[in-house]
Amino acid sequence: MKTLTCAQLGGPCDAAITANTSDEMMTKAMAHLESAHPEMAAKVKATPKDDPMMIAWNEKFAKDWAAAPETN
């Protein structure tokens, strides 16, 4: 299990998001955005996956996920 904050994921707050896999983290992070930051969630959903900004975000996320320590 790993924990990243909303801010580490590019969001505006320090809420902790915990997940067992990177896919689960993506799902939980989007759920957090939708509930806590709906305007930001709408922008993310409207941005094409092949947009250079999204590609850069995915690369950063992969590195941050890999570097995050395992927690219990």
Side-chain angles (χ1 to χ4, degrees), residues 15-59:
I17 302 167
T18 303
N20 290 308
T21 67
S22 61
D23 286 341
E24 182 183 15
M25 179 62 72
M26 295 274 248
T27 300
K28 287 184 170 187
M30 183 52 73
H32 168 75
L33 272 184
E34 289 171 340
S35 66
H37 317 291
E39 290 179 11
M40 185 174 202
K43 288 179 185 177
V44 169
K45 287 181 177 182
T47 304
K49 292 183 189 253
D50 62 352
D51 183 285
M53 182 180 73
M54 291 301 284
I55 292 169
W57 184 90
N58 279 303
E59 289 172 357

